[in-house]
Amino acid sequence: MTDQPPPSSVAHDLAARIPGEVLVAGEPGYDEARTPYFGIRDGHPVAVVRPADAVDVATVVETATRSGLPLHVRGGGHHAAGHATGDGLLLDLTSLRGLSVGATNDRDGASVWAGGGLTAGEVTNALAQHGLAVGFGDTDSVGIGGLTLSGGLGFLSRRHGMTIDNLLGAEVVTADGRVRRVDAGRDPDLFWALRGGGGSFGVVTRFHYRAVPVTEVYGGALFLPATPQALERVVAVSCAADDALSVIASVIPTPPLDELPAEQHGQPVLMVRVCWAGDIRRGEQAVAPLRAAADPVADLVGPMPYSELLALPTRSHGAVIAVRSLFLDHVDTATAEMMLDYMARSDAPLRMVQLRALGGAIGRVDPAATAFAHRRSGIMVVIASNDEPDLETARDWAEELATKVAQDDPGGYVGFFGPHDDGRIGSAYPPATLARLRQVKATYDPANLFRHNDNITPATP
């Protein structure tokens, strides 16, 4: 057996071999680069590498294999489980920021190549100058890498499909150090796995998306009283709405916004974020049933540029949170009461029960066509809390509520796994999907180099 090189020599060797940036402890930018958005892990990597291109990434992958050092990959660093840091080597993709708009070969006409280190907001703002959009999630600071590889559910999903439904191809560095251009015709099994299978299969350095014409939408946030009747009604309206209307309803402590009554701050409120991506003249009519669900506390919905919809301020940076996701087929009064009861029981400063109506274009894709297989589910629920410093309390709260409201639609969304979800990967994928993912993993990463994620383990020969 060959002796492994000391970590310090690995960092020195990388700095000499690649044009990208190599940071070690004590250097400017190191602490920022090693720290993910959520503060669950405090990793101290031997080196943080910011590659200049896919060739640099391949060099880091080869070095990790040769040295035996663990390899962590950071895109936006937004995952609640904090996978994007640790000991060993940290590959920080935020330097991969290239973006180019071109044509496709299909009737939709426009596409974009986007570097794996870009955020949803950065891509959205750049495409807005062309009157185009790619449907990502609902927050501008999230990296496009983790979001896309998880599936991508956001404000354009019901009309234009999930992010992965608009993924035309990708540039990927696999565990053997090869830089691959994958799509439906080249490495199609790997392309299938990248669309919802998470980060277990390689490092995606560039994504190729179909872009759709989107400029102005009728959207924003509608704040309603947090009552069972309002929550039940909002969810029912959202599920039955035209595909052009996407709704993300969250029960949260009232944020300290100037538009909201000061006496309401910190008390539970139903925040209904809406996006009507159809004819702007029909927006008010489309949103009217939501406004009728209860007398609004505040109504901040109206015509706006689509890019502004993702720019909702958040207070979660640096937090340590417990997260639980599940799927429901309906929300009745009893379910709504249970959700609100649990919100009232907790005094965690960051706590949330969020409901996203699915359906529309999401459900018109064959569940076997991508690794995201929950195409027939009606509602995705995300339960989160950060009862610091007692994460166990937050975890128990989220788990108990999820168990109380669960129905006959088992599963979870890998993009909303938390720090307590090790070993729960089977909940994100039906058995046949997981078996196929493990076969793809065995082909492209049999030694499980890419394991510091919500891991798909290789199938056993």
Side-chain angles (χ1 to χ4, degrees):
M1 178 180 293
T2 303
D3 291 336
Q4 294 175 345
S8 58
S9 70
V10 172
H12 179 77
D13 177 64
L14 279 171
R17 293 176 62 193
I18 68 172
E21 189 176 21
V22 179
L23 302 173
V24 297
E27 293 185 344
Y30 173 84
D31 285 331
E32 177 187 1
R34 73 177 178 85
T35 305
Y37 186 90
F38 292 107
I40 185 65
R41 300 181 196 273
D42 185 27
H44 293 271
V46 171
V48 178
V49 184
R50 288 175 168 161
D53 53 27
V55 176
D56 279 7
V57 172
T59 300
V60 175
V61 167
E62 181 272 331
T63 299
T65 301
R66 176 173 49 83
S67 68
L69 289 172
L71 179 62
H72 301 262
V73 181
R74 178 184 181 184
H78 228 281
H79 198 293
H83 295 305
T85 194
D87 300 330
L89 293 175
L90 174 56
L91 187 55
D92 179 6
L93 302 182
T94 53
S95 54
L96 301 181
R97 312 187 61 74
L99 190 146
S100 60
V101 179
T104 68
N105 293 323
D106 61 25
R107 60 185 174 82
D108 294 305
S111 72
V112 56
W113 278 98
L118 291 167
T119 66
E122 290 167 341
V123 177
T124 299
N125 290 332
L127 290 181
Q129 302 174 33
H130 302 272
L132 300 169
V134 173
F136 292 116
D138 64 308
T139 306
D140 57 1
S141 60
V142 174
I144 64 171
L147 184 148
T148 301
L149 297 176
S150 298
L153 290 162
F155 287 121
L156 298 180
S157 297
R158 282 172 52 85
R159 180 164 191 189
H160 295 293
M162 298 172 64
T163 308
I164 55 174
D165 300 331
N166 294 282
L167 186 65
L168 302 172
E171 181 182 78
V172 188
V173 178
T174 44
D176 57 6
R178 287 182 57 188
V179 180
R180 302 172 186 260
R181 184 74 65 84
V182 306
D183 53 34
R186 293 172 290 188
D187 290 308
D189 52 346
L190 178 57
F191 183 52
W192 173 86
L194 294 177
R195 289 175 290 163
S200 292
F201 303 94
V203 181
V204 181
T205 52
R206 292 196 300 158
F207 294 90
H208 188 202
Y209 299 107
R210 177 185 297 108
V212 296
V214 176
T215 52
E216 192 176 45
V217 299
Y218 192 85
L222 179 68
F223 291 88
L224 302 177
T227 67
Q229 296 76 19
L231 180 56
E232 180 183 5
R233 180 60 181 160
V234 164
V235 174
V237 168
S238 304
C239 291
D242 186 287
D243 292 356
L245 182 65
S246 290
V247 178
I248 302 176
S250 304
V251 183
I252 58 172
T254 302
L257 300 178
D258 291 340
E259 296 86 351
L260 300 172
E263 63 272 15
Q264 177 93 22
H265 293 176
Q267 300 302 310
V269 70
L270 176 56
M271 179 177 69
V272 184
R273 297 179 69 194
V274 304
C275 175
W276 169 259
D279 184 341
I280 199 72
R281 295 168 296 183
R282 295 180 52 205
E284 186 171 354
Q285 176 185 354
V287 175
L290 296 172
R291 289 187 166 115
D295 291 333
V297 176
D299 188 340
L300 309 181
V301 179
M304 65 168 55
Y306 171 69
S307 57
E308 289 187 8
L309 195 58
L310 303 187
L312 184 75
T314 63
R315 298 184 297 124
S316 55
H317 194 282
V320 177
I321 66 170
V323 182
R324 186 75 157 82
S325 63
L326 68 156
F327 296 97
L328 303 179
D329 55 25
H330 69 280
V331 172
D332 55 19
T333 301
T335 301
E337 288 175 345
M338 183 66 67
M339 292 174 174
L340 294 175
D341 177 58
Y342 267 73
M343 283 292 296
R345 291 186 193 183
S346 173
D347 59 1
L350 290 174
R351 62 192 190 276
M352 174 187 76
V353 179
Q354 183 183 91
L355 302 99
R356 300 179 181 227
L358 305 181
I362 301 167
R364 289 194 288 272
V365 175
D366 183 346
T370 66
F372 178 88
H374 302 288
R375 300 286 184 170
R376 304 296 181 256
S377 298
I379 304 156
M380 183 171 73
V381 180
V382 182
I383 303 167
S385 174
N386 84 318
D387 205 348
E388 296 181 357
D390 186 5
L391 187 61
E392 291 295 328
T393 298
R395 180 184 305 171
D396 291 345
W397 180 86
E399 290 287 348
E400 287 177 11
L401 178 54
T403 301
K404 294 280 189 182
V405 301
Q407 296 170 358
D408 296 326
D409 187 357
Y413 180 56
V414 72
F416 288 131
F417 273 20
H420 59 295
D421 281 323
D422 292 342
R424 189 175 268 165
I425 195 68
S427 72
Y429 306 103
T433 302
L434 183 57
R436 184 177 175 186
L437 285 168
R438 295 188 65 210
Q439 289 291 345
V440 176
K441 176 74 169 181
T443 299
Y444 292 94
D445 185 16
N448 204 11
L449 174 67
F450 303 113
R451 62 185 178 275
H452 295 287
N453 44 49
D454 296 307
N455 193 235
I456 306 291
T457 57
T460 303

